[in-house]
């Protein structure tokens, strides 16, 4: 090996070793509240409609959704969950997930006090391309009966996904 | 002479670019070679204990003296399950004496039921409320899963990774532990 090549060899090695991970693995992540945009509205008779707008490449687990209204857990029989995308995994078995958006109805006899509703939604989902999942995250919405779509008070952006500035990256 | 200068400049540029890429990769934060998590004393890892699948408390100190790859997971987390065969392979090969330990952020019943299908040879420990808090102490700032921490034989955290461990990342981690 010529002296110059010998000089270059370690630098070439350093470049190979320092190759960055695939782009998707290092992509910035949305915060769960932004990846799974929540909105709800209450109708006559205590019927509550819940909506998630789900960011591309993110998904929610159908069987990990939980709801409470005015401090009372809504029983599964009173939750109308639409069918999701079904996948069958040799380890997991049957898994049902929501992508893009989902509308959920809570039954008419959902308890309410003088037409005011304090809805708490717990959800769990993942970022598919990044290969990470979020722990259960809870969001709260306070709304009046016959209200228009209401979002959590701490909602990052009611109608659109947040700007890059409000995203976070992997630690 | 000019050619030599050009070659030397190219070599210098290659070195700087290499350093730059390395710095970018590291500051992206998914793997932090040789950068112990600030404020974490070696006693934190070896002082912790978690229940095994039989409900018996297992102190992590029983594996003191070996480099540990602590992997946080949950039964509902698809990416966590996806990487487990690779972690099992790592555990069986045990390069540099690495011991893999899985800590489930899930409830005992779920994990016991699930473990029959998992067929991994490394120890699985469980702590639904405590596992995520512990992972945060090890550097999992946003409490994401899966999360893995490479711990030295002395109990220092020498690298962390959020997300599914690919074979390439496992190779990277094992090379760090040397």
């Amino acid at each position: 090996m010529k002296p110059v090549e010998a000089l270059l060899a370690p630098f070439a090695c350093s470049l190979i070793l320092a190759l960055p991970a695939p782009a998707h693995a290092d992509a910035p992540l949305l915060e769960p509240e932004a990846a799974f945009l929540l909105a709800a509205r209450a109708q006559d008779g205590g019927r509550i409609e819940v909506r998630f707008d789900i960011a591309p490449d993110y998904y929610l687990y159908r069987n990990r959704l939980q709801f409470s209204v005015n401090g009372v857990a809504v029983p599964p029989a009173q939750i109308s969950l639409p069918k999701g995308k079904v996948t069958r995994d040799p380890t997991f078995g049957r898994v049902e997930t929501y992508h893009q958006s989902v509308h959920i109805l809570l039954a008419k006899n959902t308890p309410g006090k003088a037409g005011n509703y304090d809805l708490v939604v717990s959800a769990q989902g993942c970022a598919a391309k990044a290969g990470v999942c979020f722990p259960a995250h809870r969001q709260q919405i306070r709304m009046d009966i016959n209200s228009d779509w209401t979002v959590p008070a701490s909602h990052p952006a009611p109608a659109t996904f947040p700007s890059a500035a409000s995203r976070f990256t992997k630690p | 002479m000019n050619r030599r200068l050009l070659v030397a400049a190219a070599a210098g540029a290659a070195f700087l670019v290499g350093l730059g890429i390395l710095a970018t990769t590291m500051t992206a934060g998914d793997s932090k070679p040789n950068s112990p998590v600030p404020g974490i004393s070696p006693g934190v890892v070896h002082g912790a204990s978690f229940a095994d699948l039989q409900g018996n408390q297992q102190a992590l100190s029983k594996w003191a003296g070996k480099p540990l790859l602590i992997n946080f997971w949950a039964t509902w987390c698809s990416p966590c399950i996806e990487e487990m065969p690779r972690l099992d392979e790592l555990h069986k090969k045990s390069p540099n004496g690495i011991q893999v330990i899985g800590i489930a952020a899930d409830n005992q019943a779920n994990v016991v039921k699930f473990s029959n299908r998992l067929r991994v040879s490394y120890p699985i420990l469980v702590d639904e409320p405590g596992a995520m808090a512990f992972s945060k102490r090890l550097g999992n700032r946003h409490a994401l899963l899966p999360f893995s921490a490479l711990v030295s034989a002395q109990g220092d955290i020498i690298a962390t990774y959020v997300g599914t461990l690919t074979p390439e990342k496992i190779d990277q981690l094992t090379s760090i532990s040397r």
Side-chain angles (χ1 to χ4, degrees):
Chain A
M1 187 182 283
K2 293 177 182 178
V4 170
E5 289 171 344
L7 186 71
L8 281 171
F11 302 132
C13 287
S14 75
L15 280 171
I16 292 166
L17 289 172
L19 284 176
H24 70 267
D26 294 326
L29 286 171
L30 294 171
E31 293 190 48
E33 292 78 8
F36 311 111
L37 286 173
L38 174 67
R41 61 182 175 186
Q43 302 167 354
D44 282 333
R47 182 184 173 98
I48 294 177
E49 191 177 356
V50 180
R51 188 185 80 203
F52 275 106
D53 288 315
I54 303 166
D57 297 321
Y58 287 71
Y59 60 88
L60 279 177
Y61 288 107
R62 184 179 186 268
N63 69 345
R64 307 295 296 190
L65 288 163
Q66 294 179 326
F67 305 86
S68 72
V69 177
N70 296 333
V72 179
V74 181
Q78 294 182 14
I79 304 170
S80 178
L81 292 167
K83 288 182 180 176
K85 179 183 176 184
V86 176
T87 52
R88 295 186 187 279
D89 182 274
T91 307
F92 270 113
R94 187 177 184 277
V95 181
E96 203 163 348
T97 52
Y98 294 128
H99 304 250
Q100 296 181 321
S101 68
V102 59
H103 285 238
I104 299 152
L105 288 174
L106 307 184
K108 286 182 178 179
N109 55 350
T110 303
K113 293 176 183 173
N116 297 320
Y117 295 95
D118 186 358
L119 172 71
V120 175
V121 180
S122 175
Q124 276 177 282
C126 305
K129 284 188 178 176
V132 297
C133 293
F134 302 96
H137 64 280
R138 292 156 58 93
Q139 296 189 78
Q140 186 173 31
I141 294 178
R142 291 194 174 89
M143 60 196 153
D144 299 325
I145 199 161
N146 291 325
S147 61
D148 199 354
W149 287 104
T150 308
V151 297
S154 59
H155 209 288
T160 57
F161 289 107
S163 67
S166 64
R167 299 180 183 191
F168 66 88
T169 54
K170 289 180 282 183
Chain B
M1 185 66 182
N2 284 344
R3 191 178 171 189
R4 281 190 179 178
L5 274 174
L6 277 173
V7 169
F15 179 63
L16 289 173
V17 169
L19 282 181
I21 293 173
L22 185 62
T24 304
T25 309
M26 289 167 68
T27 52
D30 43 53
S31 183
K32 298 173 180 170
N34 304 315
S35 56
V37 176
I40 301 295
S41 66
V44 168
V45 172
H46 290 157
S49 64
F50 299 91
D52 62 19
L53 295 183
Q54 289 71 45
N56 301 316
Q57 286 292 311
Q58 300 291 339
L60 298 188
S61 59
K62 72 186 281 185
W63 293 286
K66 288 183 174 182
L68 303 179
L69 183 71
I70 303 178
N71 174 253
F72 294 86
W73 67 286
T75 58
W76 54 267
C77 166
S78 306
C80 303
I81 308 307
E82 181 193 328
E83 69 179 353
M84 289 179 110
R86 292 193 285 272
L87 295 176
D88 194 43
E89 191 179 344
L90 172 68
H91 179 71
K92 286 174 177 168
K93 288 182 179 173
S94 188
N96 310 320
I98 288 180
Q99 162 82 41
V100 179
I101 297 171
I103 301 182
D106 214 321
N107 73 59
Q108 182 91 7
N110 280 348
V111 178
V112 169
K113 186 178 172 186
F114 206 73
S115 65
N116 297 328
R117 284 182 278 171
L118 276 178
R119 293 176 185 158
V120 293
S121 57
Y122 56 85
I124 297 289
L125 307 177
V126 188
D127 188 343
E128 186 170 36
M132 290 312 294
F134 185 63
S135 79
K136 283 185 177 180
R137 292 189 73 187
L138 303 192
N140 188 13
R141 287 184 294 154
H142 300 293
L144 299 170
L145 290 175
F147 172 76
S148 299
L150 182 65
V151 181
S152 73
Q154 294 72 38
D156 292 309
I157 298 159
I158 51 179
T160 62
Y161 189 76
V162 175
T164 311
L165 281 169
T166 59
E168 293 77 22
K169 284 292 176 189
I170 287 177
D171 286 346
Q172 192 180 346
L173 285 174
T174 53
S175 67
I176 291 166
S177 70
R178 280 174 195 154

